[in-house]
Amino acid sequence: MKKFKKFYIEITSICNLACSFCPQTKRQANFITIEAFTNILDQIKPHTEHIYFHVKGEPMLHPKLDQLLDLSHERGFKVNLTSNGTLLHKAGPKIMGKPALRQINFSLHSFDGHEGSTDKEGYIKNVLVFAKEAVAVSDILISLRLWNLTEDNTANIERSRNREILQIIEEEFQLDYRIEDKFVRGGGIKIADRIYLNQEHEFKWPDLKEKEDEGKGFCHALRNQAGILVDGTVIPCCLDGEGVINLGNINHTPFSEIVEGERANKLYDGFSRREVVEELCRKCGYRQRFSM
């Protein structure tokens, strides 16, 4: 039986922002129901212990997010949540101290990525205030993400668009150093107890319109991760935001059968041979990180 370190459950395909780095989904706008979510948890229980409320969409938009966390806790799952953090004023009190929550990732680069964002200082401070309170009342981990670096500003972040955000963080946590002085690309900087800052290059979603690579290489899809979209479509990894590699639907076929199905096994066996079977995978820049 396949076991996964990470399992992505998209609880909504809807987002309250329209960020330049995150293409809007062409799929139907939807929220997962309690019944469908419970069914997913029961089916994936033998396969994983860690679930992630993310593929596309903003999880804090879900009106029953607190119930989804409680259901996850009842079944022994630990939950990671990725959010833009703009809805903390509504969702924050509902999720504060929830025992299922292992980690929350806040995509701070969403502010600059969304045209029309206002009050950067207020936005960042709201996230930081929540982060401080959350670690004070639970064992949660907080990751503050700035995934908007480019090749030409990696060497000199001082001139980058992040300086204002970094200064707010430095002041809020009374840091006695400049974050740039400790920056290592891809590495996390410990800001406070269980609060970290991570900086990376801007993320690019794979797209069928992109140019194919040579079709050789490796990926962890269906090895250490898998996912389910809000409509029940099973996907091999969190990067298939449109369900291009549709392995089956958990509402119609048991998950254990889907991940041992023909298409899933062809993808898995292909990567075992360092051969890329699926077209979308041959157009995925992230996969190339594992191809050497």
Side-chain angles (χ1 to χ4, degrees):
M1 179 178 292
K2 288 188 174 73
K3 297 276 190 177
F4 305 103
K5 293 180 180 179
K6 301 178 180 180
F7 202 102
Y8 294 85
I9 302 176
E10 183 185 71
I11 63 173
T12 180
S13 56
I14 305 168
C15 189
N16 62 316
L17 301 184
C19 296
S20 57
F21 55 82
C22 186
Q24 296 293 293
T25 180
K26 300 178 180 65
R27 295 180 285 115
Q28 181 178 355
N30 207 352
F31 290 100
I32 201 166
T33 65
I34 294 295
E35 181 181 17
F37 183 76
T38 303
N39 176 48
I40 288 174
L41 293 186
D42 290 342
Q43 291 201 43
I44 69 173
K45 180 60 181 173
H47 298 273
T48 191
E49 296 176 355
H50 292 89
I51 54 180
Y52 292 66
F53 286 0
H54 189 61
V55 178
K56 288 290 187 76
E58 167 52 53
M60 289 193 185
L61 270 175
H62 200 293
K64 298 181 179 179
L65 177 58
D66 51 345
Q67 294 182 47
L68 302 183
L69 289 170
D70 289 341
L71 287 167
S72 301
H73 177 63
E74 290 169 7
R75 286 160 174 76
F77 290 101
K78 283 296 184 181
V79 178
N80 284 34
L81 190 153
T82 298
S83 170
N84 57 46
T86 59
L87 300 175
L88 280 172
H89 59 291
K90 292 183 178 180
K94 295 169 62 176
I95 66 175
M96 182 68 71
K98 288 291 185 183
L101 274 176
R102 174 187 172 272
Q103 179 169 325
I104 301 181
N105 308 310
F106 287 109
S107 301
L108 301 185
H109 48 279
S110 299
F111 186 92
D112 289 324
H114 175 72
E115 185 176 349
S117 294
T118 59
D119 189 16
K120 180 182 287 187
E121 182 176 0
Y123 161 64
I124 299 298
K125 285 190 174 181
N126 283 340
V127 172
L128 300 184
V129 167
F130 174 88
K132 286 181 175 181
E133 185 177 350
V135 298
V137 301
S138 69
D139 296 327
I140 198 170
L141 298 170
I142 301 290
S143 173
L144 308 172
R145 292 179 172 178
L146 282 171
W147 287 7
N148 58 2
L149 301 182
T150 58
E151 293 292 344
D152 60 353
N153 73 10
T154 305
N156 193 346
I157 306 174
E158 168 108 23
R159 295 179 297 182
S160 79
R161 50 192 163 174
N162 292 336
R163 173 87 291 263
E164 185 179 354
I165 292 176
L166 297 180
Q167 184 172 345
I168 296 170
I169 294 172
E170 291 163 0
E171 292 174 353
E172 190 70 26
F173 288 94
Q174 298 181 332
L175 302 183
D176 59 1
Y177 59 87
R178 286 170 62 85
I179 291 173
E180 289 94 328
D181 295 338
K182 297 198 173 190
F183 167 70
V184 177
R185 186 198 153 201
I189 299 173
K190 186 174 181 179
I191 301 298
D193 183 33
R194 286 176 283 123
I195 301 177
Y196 298 85
L197 174 69
N198 293 276
Q199 299 181 84
E200 251 297 355
H201 286 170
E202 184 170 308
F203 177 77
K204 188 173 184 180
W205 289 84
D207 193 311
L208 289 176
K209 297 177 182 178
E210 295 294 324
K211 184 179 179 181
E212 282 194 21
D213 61 24
E214 76 289 348
K216 300 292 183 182
F218 178 75
C219 180
H220 294 289
L222 291 184
R223 272 183 164 75
N224 73 2
Q225 67 166 286
I228 297 178
L229 300 179
V230 69
D231 66 354
T233 299
V234 176
I235 54 176
C237 77
C238 63
L239 305 184
D240 187 4
E242 291 303 300
V244 173
I245 308 175
N246 183 343
L247 301 177
N249 193 295
I250 198 170
N251 296 320
H252 309 133
T253 308
F255 177 78
S256 296
E257 291 183 18
I258 292 174
V259 292
E260 295 296 348
E262 182 180 4
R263 189 171 188 180
N265 282 331
K266 281 184 176 180
L267 182 148
Y268 185 98
D269 294 341
F271 283 132
S272 297
R273 301 188 305 269
R274 301 302 191 266
E275 295 179 5
V276 186
V277 173
E278 292 284 347
E279 180 184 0
L280 186 68
C281 300
R282 295 194 295 271
K283 298 178 176 182
C284 177
Y286 196 85
R287 178 192 61 77
Q288 294 170 1
R289 300 185 185 190
F290 310 111
S291 297
M292 301 304 291

